[in-house]
Amino acid sequence: MTHPTVTHPATKVGVTVLVAVLAERIADSRGVVLGIVLAVALALTFRHPIWRLIWAIIRGGSATAGAPADELRTKAEQAGQWSAALTTEGSGSIAAKWFERNEPALKELIDTTDPAAGRVDDLAAIGDALDVWYVRQRRGDALLELSGRLATIGEHAHRVDLQQLAAVRAAAAYRLLDDEPAAEARLGLASAGPRHRVTSALQTRSQHEHGLLNLARAARYVPGDDASVANLHDAIRGARICFDKAAVTVPRADLAADLAIQINLAVTYLYQSDRHKAIDHLRLAKARAAATHDASANAHVHELIGVAAWLKQGKQREAVGWWQQAEQLYADIDERIGQARCLQHRGAAELHFGRPAVALELLRASADLLGGDPAGHEVLEFYLRQALDAVKPAAVPAAQPADPVRLPGRFGWFRRHRRPAHDSDSPT
């Protein structure tokens, strides 16, 4: 597991421009003061995310296979910086565009670069960044392929840590692909290595992935089925145990990991309709999100506060307000899956309020954000059927009233190897 040094590309172009401008202004003795002012102004300006995008465009922003060691290091640093920016307000949508443009070339580097001495950590760093991107896009197949390649690199370099990390990544990929037995098996491989070689960060991620796998089982809950209810309780209990263990092993300085754990603990309490304990964890998560400037987590906290509000009698309108705020926060960083969920929540709420035409519009917008086809999104399909039936001229009343928190959704993943991400779905 690597932690590449962060030196943003915008810094390099900022220094270059500053040198040029200052040389020109200081050459004129009357421009010394103006040169200093320009230096400060440019230094501040190049901290803005838009200049990072402009610099990326100027440089072409592409990675090339077979790059020499210094160029590989540069690409690894860039990938790490942009993966961190994916969750940052003001930079999220720019970072998403960077990955859309550079993902094929970064993947080619992973696939074709010889993992010789001095290159393994850079390849691992690029793998970390692609991991973040693939789980954000719910691309389980791509994540599984990536984990296989990185496992091979780890084996070649005799790096047990990389092999164990690859196994946890593979488990996350299989969970995204709805293959829970395979996910469980990979988690077993991750914990099979020498215990003294397992870092606290890897222990945290492994326990968190175990918890998310339990939440995936909880997502199959069927209301009214006694066996399903029993399985739900077992899954939620197992998830909470795993998240509590993750909270014990999480590195103290890793606020982002703690943020993920707090969000998922809140989810377990929401499953059990315990809004008070859920809110306690969401308050902590909100503080962590502010401290880490994680706009994605902040949006998810807003979304889950809306779920908690819906559970309180008379607070349904307030819940819709939270979901509207969350939707906008997701939109600001171009996180379309989160946006789609919030539109789904709002559409279900409109069904509950007796406005099926408005609900249908919102639910179709949700489907559009998911590629136009709701297939594979069972909860969205459920509400779309209800809305379509309700707007028919001779609509037959639905067998069950719509309720945005009646059916659980699917849960999420880690964003980085060094900390677990908050889950991708709320229990609605």
Side-chain angles (χ1 to χ4, degrees), residues 147-167:
S147 69
R149 174 58 179 158
L150 292 174
T152 301
I153 291 173
E155 183 178 1
H156 176 85
H158 305 291
R159 290 280 297 272
V160 175
D161 59 331
L162 294 182
Q163 294 177 66
Q164 291 171 327
L165 174 58

Side-chain angles (χ1 to χ4, degrees), residues 102-172:
N102 287 278
E103 182 265 336
L106 292 174
K107 180 178 179 296
E108 185 178 358
L109 276 176
I110 292 286
D111 291 342
T112 62
T113 301
D114 179 18
R119 290 177 174 240
V120 174
D121 285 342
D122 292 329
L123 289 172
I126 292 173
D128 296 339
L130 288 175
D131 180 4
V132 174
W133 178 243
Y134 290 151
V135 294
R136 175 185 167 112
Q137 299 297 310
R138 297 188 68 85
R139 291 175 59 185
D141 52 349
L143 182 59
L144 185 60
E145 183 180 348
L146 173 68
S147 69
R149 174 58 179 158
L150 292 174
T152 301
I153 291 173
E155 183 178 1
H156 176 85
H158 305 291
R159 290 280 297 272
V160 175
D161 59 331
L162 294 182
Q163 294 177 66
Q164 291 171 327
L165 174 58
V168 178
R169 279 194 179 124

